[in-house]
Amino acid sequence: MLLTLVPLFDENMAVCAYSFFTQRENYLLNPLLLGTAQFDGASQITGLELIQKMGIDTLSQGKEIFVPITNISIFADITEQCDAPHEKIVLLIDNTIPPIEMYVNRLKELKQQGYKLAIRKLAVSDFENYREVLKLMDYVLLNNRKIAIDKAKIYFGKLFPNISLCAGNIDTMEDFERLKETGGYRFYEGKFYRVPITKGQTDVAPLKGNYIDLLNIVNNPDFELTTAADIISRDTALTIDLLKMVQPLAVNSEITSIRHAAAMLGQRELKKWINTAVANALYADKPNEVTRLSLLRAKFAENLAEAFGLKAQKDELFLMGLFSVLDVILEKPMAEALKVVHVAGEISNALIYRIGALAPVYDFMLQYETANWAEVSRLMLLKNIDMNTVYEAYTSALKWYRTVR
């Protein structure tokens, strides 16, 4: 299957929930599925399958997950498919489920079982027809691009005051600030939190400068372990993290210094650890989701290396993903931001110009994280990449992220 998790923010830019976007099959590779076979396994809810397999803590750090259900899967035995706490699962329906008695009764049953309910893709003209359905909803997701959600907010505030509203498809930080100022929304969704910076705004803060110095040292092909260790020793948090990292390696010996700890880890592993640990510190003043996005992209890109015929460049792919939001972090255009850190030309070419050997992986990840399944399917077909390979690459990245946070 194909799947991605889209964050839902509160007004303080803290992630409060995630929404699943999934596709079970690649219809370009299996055109026969566009016939009646597309309903095979339709009673299985893809998101619940993954929650059951990986656990809600790994996927969302225990936050609510919005799981789409269809007009067929709504009648499945949901509890049998997933034993996660019901209050953490928000069953998400859309306008393909008609507001008729059969479906209204089923939604009442699910509500009684403790599940939360949400609806999306309703046009303004649908609101009155869906009145009985809306009475059962905990959340309504409103498309910021297609409807005047400020007016819709007034409607729901008067008729359904217990419904929490989510403003969706927010493209810019200006739109987010405007909607936040008007108030009345529980969640905000869109690409606004990771919109690229197009104009240089600020100098690099002194603390960030120290971390960038460390990044530049370890990304030099012939960097000295001792030099890196000396800089690490000036930062208490990094020092503690390094000692925790090497503790399992020091079963039969004592760690006598930070230089000793760095030597035990070795040059390659120290480089990878520093790139990851420093990214966490570097992004500390940004929304947590930016850090998560950076780290997930890094590991996802590394995991895709072999599928794209780039096994020998997996380290570069890791860095490409890690630095793919550097413009957001340093508040500079990507070309200027990458001059601050000394990365390989292949990484710069991919992130700035979308050219070179690494660029196809970067483009693939961008399409994947926005659930553009048609384009993802097309790219998999062109590259002859199996869906299971992509699934394993992404879920492995989710598991890895859980270990480094």
Side-chain angles (χ1 to χ4, degrees), residues 214 218 223-250 255-278 280 404:
L214 185 55
V218 298
F223 82 90
E224 292 288 337
L225 277 172
T226 53
T227 305
D230 289 345
I231 295 178
I232 292 170
S233 66
R234 300 172 196 160
D235 188 289
T236 304
L238 287 180
T239 298
I240 293 171
D241 284 349
L242 175 61
L243 294 176
K244 288 180 179 178
M245 187 79 170
V246 300
Q247 190 173 13
L249 306 176
I255 301 172
T256 57
S257 67
I258 302 303
R259 288 187 175 188
H260 181 200
M264 291 182 67
L265 200 57
Q267 190 179 59
R268 181 175 180 180
E269 290 303 315
L270 181 69
K271 175 181 176 179
K272 180 172 284 190
W273 170 76
I274 285 177
N275 279 317
T276 302
V278 168
N280 278 316
V404 298

Side-chain angles (χ1 to χ4, degrees), residues 1-4 292-308 314 317-322 361-370 373 376 380 385 387-398 400-401:
M1 75 181 79
L2 300 174
L3 66 104
T4 190
R292 179 180 179 275
L293 179 66
S294 172
L295 294 171
L296 279 181
R297 282 182 179 178
K299 195 62 177 178
F300 190 28
E302 181 186 71
N303 291 344
L304 289 170
E306 189 167 356
F308 279 82
K314 66 177 185 178
L317 285 170
F318 184 91
L319 282 181
M320 180 191 72
L322 196 69
V361 180
Y362 182 51
D363 289 336
F364 183 85
M365 289 196 304
L366 294 183
Q367 300 299 331
Y368 191 91
E369 68 189 28
T370 56
W373 299 138
V376 168
M380 288 194 299
I385 299 174
M387 180 181 286
N388 288 334
T389 299
V390 178
Y391 171 81
E392 289 298 330
Y394 185 72
T395 54
S396 175
L398 289 173
W400 173 82
Y401 175 77

Side-chain angles (χ1 to χ4, degrees), residues 135-354:
K135 289 178 181 178
L136 301 170
M137 294 297 112
D138 296 281
Y139 301 102
V140 172
L141 282 61
L142 301 173
N143 190 330
N144 180 58
R145 295 177 189 160
K146 294 185 177 181
I147 65 175
I149 62 175
D150 286 352
K151 294 180 180 178
K153 179 184 66 176
I154 297 172
Y155 171 86
F156 285 103
K158 288 182 177 179
L159 296 181
F160 306 100
N162 294 324
I163 288 180
S164 295
L165 301 181
C166 173
N169 286 316
I170 304 172
D171 293 326
T172 67
M173 189 59 71
E174 289 76 14
D175 288 339
F176 168 70
E177 293 294 342
R178 174 179 57 80
L179 291 168
K180 184 175 73 170
E181 186 175 347
T182 63
Y185 303 103
R186 172 76 178 277
F187 295 140
Y188 303 82
E189 178 273 325
K191 66 179 182 180
F192 63 95
Y193 74 98
R194 53 182 170 84
V195 173
I197 302 298
T198 57
K199 295 181 180 179
Q201 295 184 8
T202 60
D203 293 329
V204 179
L207 185 59
K208 287 185 177 180
N210 293 335
Y211 290 131
I212 288 170
D213 287 342
L214 185 55
L215 287 176
N216 286 332
I217 287 172
V218 298
N219 287 305
N220 187 308
D222 300 313
F223 82 90
E224 292 288 337
L225 277 172
T226 53
T227 305
D230 289 345
I231 295 178
I232 292 170
S233 66
R234 300 172 196 160
D235 188 289
T236 304
L238 287 180
T239 298
I240 293 171
D241 284 349
L242 175 61
L243 294 176
K244 288 180 179 178
M245 187 79 170
V246 300
Q247 190 173 13
L249 306 176
V251 176
N252 297 317
S253 62
E254 294 182 349
I255 301 172
T256 57
S257 67
I258 302 303
R259 288 187 175 188
H260 181 200
M264 291 182 67
L265 200 57
Q267 190 179 59
R268 181 175 180 180
E269 290 303 315
L270 181 69
K271 175 181 176 179
K272 180 172 284 190
W273 170 76
I274 285 177
N275 279 317
T276 302
V278 168
N280 278 316
L282 193 62
Y283 304 174
D285 61 342
K286 298 295 179 181
N288 288 341
E289 191 61 22
V290 175
T291 307
R292 179 180 179 275
L293 179 66
S294 172
L295 294 171
L296 279 181
R297 282 182 179 178
K299 195 62 177 178
F300 190 28
E302 181 186 71
N303 291 344
L304 289 170
E306 189 167 356
F308 279 82
L310 298 170
K311 187 175 181 180
Q313 292 179 275
K314 66 177 185 178
D315 289 344
E316 288 95 328
L317 285 170
F318 184 91
L319 282 181
M320 180 191 72
L322 196 69
F323 292 147
S324 63
V325 292
L326 198 63
D327 52 348
V328 177
I329 303 308
L330 299 184
E331 298 181 342
K332 294 176 177 293
M334 184 61 81
E336 293 182 25
L338 288 176
K339 289 179 182 177
V340 179
V341 295
H342 303 158
V343 297
E346 285 278 18
I347 296 173
S348 296
N349 286 338
L351 295 178
I352 299 172
Y353 307 110
R354 306 287 182 88

